[in-house]
Amino acid sequence: MPQQYWPNQWIFILAAIGSAAGLGNLWRFPFLVYEYGGAAFVIAIVVANIVIGIPLLLLEVALGQMSRHGAPDAFGSIKKSFRYVGWIALFFGFLILTYYMVVVGWGINYFVDSFSLAWGNDTSGYFFNEVLQISDGPGTIGGVSLSVFLGLIVAYALVYFSAWKGVQSISKVVVWTATIPFVILALLIVRAVTLPGAELGLSLYLFPVWSELLNPQLWLAAFSQVFFSLSIGVGIMIAYGSLKKENSDIAGSTIWIALGNFAVSIMSGFVVFGTLGYMALSQGVPVQEVVSGGPSLAFVVFPAAINLLPALNEVVAVLFFGAFLLLAVDSAFSLFEGIATAFRDRFPTQAIKKISLLVALFTFLGSLPFATHAGLYFLDIVDHFVINYGVVIVGILQAIIVGWLWKGNSLLNYVNERSNFKIGTAWQFAIKYAVPLFLVVLLAINIVNEFRTPYEGYPVWALLYLGIIPIVLSPLLATIVETLTKTEADQIEE
Ligand code: PHE
């Protein structure tokens, strides 16, 4: 099969921004800003981008471009046994994809609802009881909820037809999915900041509580946020890098990706804080009482805020959930492509579309538990463990492999020969020392916290089966997949 490439460097950059900018920017970033001292947290995010985010992003893109393979064989090109690290990364990517798709499915429901503001006045009841039909705990599964299931099918259709031909179809889609959100967010900012009371929210955003910078929790949150937001540690940026032309620039494009992603976070902050300020004023309560993060920010608080708008409610609703879907869909298909690339490496004679279909069907099955009445609990637990442990462990392994274990490491020269500015000791220092050190500390503190208080008070069995066991078993799964997909040439060589 002929090697496929991004048509040009900008398409690669857009695809990577599309992957990075997603729900992490829209609902995770603003909430963390609120929690951790407003603009002080924004500063921490900039630092975390520089210290760990950009160095690791550059590592992944460069390794992909240099090896021309997805994560397993990219690491395998350094040393055979490092392939397992690639499969482990993809396994965590797979888990993220299974539940991320369900969230896209909720988004589809809400996008349709936007045209008639179908959520009514009790937006909380609507989300939890009508859409999710949530059960009373992770032990009560109670079947699949129909609207979520239908949304999920549409979500899979969107993602599948965006990614089915690999880079060929993705290149066409990202031109829209990675650009339109900027336009919509700009429109929503204009609407949000001109609402009465917007300044009540914006002041929480823009004024830094400097003392928060001394809070270790702020730094933990900033490091994990940057990790999640840049889509690091799940093999995506390696796969996307492997599709770059041999001599295309690396360092410059990495900076563009980080900047684009940061811009989406900052813009989302204006939309969210402006809107929350208005909502607080209209209801005569402090902003603290209307704020929320994660799913309920988008699906409970925002619909309620939209109901309160003086005019054009449906238009704002369609724009908001339109941006939500666009942001989420290209993050989802990047995860898909990360996985599909690895299997294409292993089965180069199989048709791309066939591999895509199999990956989609398999992931769809993995999504079903999250579409049940206990789905939100499952999602919350799996997300917590994969994000706080899984990808962090992969990040540490990547840095140790490239920084310490790679004999005759030529990545730095490779990058410098292809970049319009030179990276050098700073990057090496980050990969060798800063990244492993910060991430190990992050991991250790997370583990201690975990033992102190079970996450969100969930029963221990649920945390064990949905969170801890998948992480612990990931090397075993990696071994199984590696054995099943090993090529014949490899077996003879060994
Ligand atoms: N970066 C995406 C976001 O911010 C989430 C994501 C993480 C996507 C990891 C793919 C892989 O929403």
Side-chain angles (χ1 to χ4, degrees):
M1 197 185 314
Q3 168 79 46
Q4 301 204 3
Y5 295 106
W6 300 109
N8 63 58
Q9 183 77 347
W10 282 104
I11 301 287
F12 159 70
I13 293 173
L14 282 180
I17 292 178
S19 170
L23 305 177
N25 310 59
L26 192 64
W27 75 29
R28 212 163 175 266
F29 172 81
F31 183 66
L32 293 172
V33 168
Y34 166 77
E35 284 262 292
Y36 295 108
F41 186 77
V42 180
I43 293 170
I45 284 286
V46 173
V47 174
N49 261 292
I50 295 172
V51 178
I52 63 161
I54 295 176
L56 274 175
L57 182 64
L58 190 125
L59 181 158
E60 293 196 4
V61 173
L63 186 63
Q65 181 167 338
M66 186 169 164
S67 69
R68 318 224 60 84
H69 285 300
D73 289 332
F75 280 105
S77 72
I78 300 175
K79 191 175 167 203
K80 263 198 182 151
S81 53
F82 295 155
R83 290 171 180 175
Y84 299 102
V85 174
W87 287 118
I88 292 175
L90 291 183
F91 171 60
F92 295 138
F94 169 81
L95 289 180
I96 297 178
L97 180 58
T98 53
Y99 67 77
Y100 211 84
M101 289 303 290
V102 176
V103 180
V104 179
W106 303 343
I108 307 260
N109 275 285
Y110 272 76
F111 183 68
V112 175
D113 291 345
S114 294
F115 292 87
S116 59
L117 306 182
W119 43 72
N121 285 327
D122 176 14
T123 57
S124 168
Y126 181 77
F127 179 56
F128 291 108
N129 302 329
E130 287 188 43
V131 179
L132 301 188
Q133 299 170 359
I134 197 163
S135 69
D136 54 16
T140 320
I141 297 176
V144 166
S145 101
L146 184 65
S147 35
V148 176
F149 183 73
L150 295 178
L152 185 65
I153 292 185
V154 178
Y156 267 93
L158 287 179
V159 165
Y160 177 70
F161 287 112
S162 302
W164 66 327
K165 295 187 194 163
V167 66
Q168 213 190 328
S169 50
I170 290 179
S171 300
K172 297 199 181 104
V173 180
V174 292
V175 174
W176 306 104
T177 56
T179 52
I180 300 174
F182 284 96
V183 179
I184 300 185
L185 287 173
L187 292 172
L188 291 173
I189 290 175
V190 173
R191 172 66 293 198
V193 303
T194 53
L195 286 166
E199 67 284 354
L200 299 175
L202 292 174
S203 63
L204 291 176
Y205 183 25
L206 300 175
F207 288 109
V209 184
W210 293 115
S211 59
E212 275 291 316
L213 286 174
L214 298 175
N215 174 1
Q217 288 298 331
L218 165 140
W219 290 100
L220 292 183
F223 281 118
S224 19
Q225 170 64 8
V226 163
F227 223 87
F228 181 72
S229 193
L230 283 176
S231 306
I232 295 169
V234 288
I236 296 177
M237 294 300 176
I238 300 180
Y240 274 11
S242 76
L243 300 165
K244 286 171 90 247
K245 296 208 172 106
E246 322 278 356
N247 286 319
S248 52
D249 167 85
I250 297 174
S253 28
T254 308
I255 305 285
W256 276 113
I257 298 165
L259 284 175
N261 180 51
F262 182 65
V264 175
S265 294
I266 295 292
M267 293 175 86
S268 305
F270 279 99
V271 175
V272 168
F273 282 95
T275 310
L276 292 180
Y278 169 69
M279 204 174 165
L281 184 77
S282 329
Q283 299 184 336
V285 295
V287 179
Q288 284 74 359
E289 270 179 41
V290 294
V291 88
S292 144
S296 42
L297 176 68
F299 296 113
V300 176
V301 177
F302 250 82
I306 290 169
N307 286 344
L308 290 171
L309 291 179
L312 297 177
N313 312 54
E314 288 86 354
V315 176
V316 174
V318 170
L319 287 176
F320 178 76
F321 285 105
F324 178 100
L325 280 182
L326 291 167
L327 286 170
V329 161
D330 47 16
S331 299
F333 67 64
S334 70
L335 284 161
F336 183 91
E337 179 66 11
I339 299 167
T341 306
F343 287 101
R344 270 186 241 135
D345 286 342
R346 292 302 166 94
F347 302 103
T349 55
Q350 298 289 339
I352 291 189
K353 284 189 207 166
K354 187 166 147 197
I355 293 178
S356 303
L357 189 63
L358 287 172
V359 174
L361 288 176
F362 202 71
T363 327
F364 181 75
L365 294 178
S367 290
L368 288 178
F370 301 105
T372 63
H373 300 175
L376 182 61
Y377 306 119
F378 295 161
L379 190 158
D380 192 17
I381 296 171
V382 176
D383 177 72
H384 172 77
F385 282 91
V386 174
I387 300 306
N388 289 297
Y389 300 94
V391 295
V392 178
I393 294 172
V394 173
I396 296 171
L397 293 174
Q398 294 190 153
I400 291 180
I401 287 178
V402 172
W404 297 92
L405 304 179
W406 185 348
K407 299 206 182 65
N409 181 347
S410 51
L411 201 63
L412 187 67
N413 287 338
Y414 184 85
V415 173
N416 281 335
E417 281 161 14
R418 286 164 184 77
S419 298
N420 38 26
F421 63 91
K422 304 272 171 273
I423 54 150
T425 24
W427 180 73
Q428 275 177 315
F429 182 83
I431 293 297
K432 276 189 127 155
Y433 303 102
V435 172
L437 185 75
F438 281 114
L439 293 184
V440 167
V441 172
L442 175 71
L443 194 66
I445 299 182
N446 282 341
I447 292 176
V448 172
N449 285 340
E450 210 69 53
F451 279 104
R452 280 213 193 121
T453 36
Y455 176 61
E456 297 279 319
Y458 285 112
V460 174
W461 65 263
L463 299 177
L464 195 63
Y465 286 119
L466 296 165
I468 299 169
I469 291 187
I471 307 273
V472 174
L473 286 190
S474 60
L476 180 68
L477 287 167
T479 313
I480 296 174
V481 180
E482 168 63 26
T483 315
L484 291 177
T485 60
K486 202 181 277 182
T487 56
E488 279 165 22
D490 256 359
Q491 279 159 357
I492 296 166
E493 231 176 276
E494 271 173 14

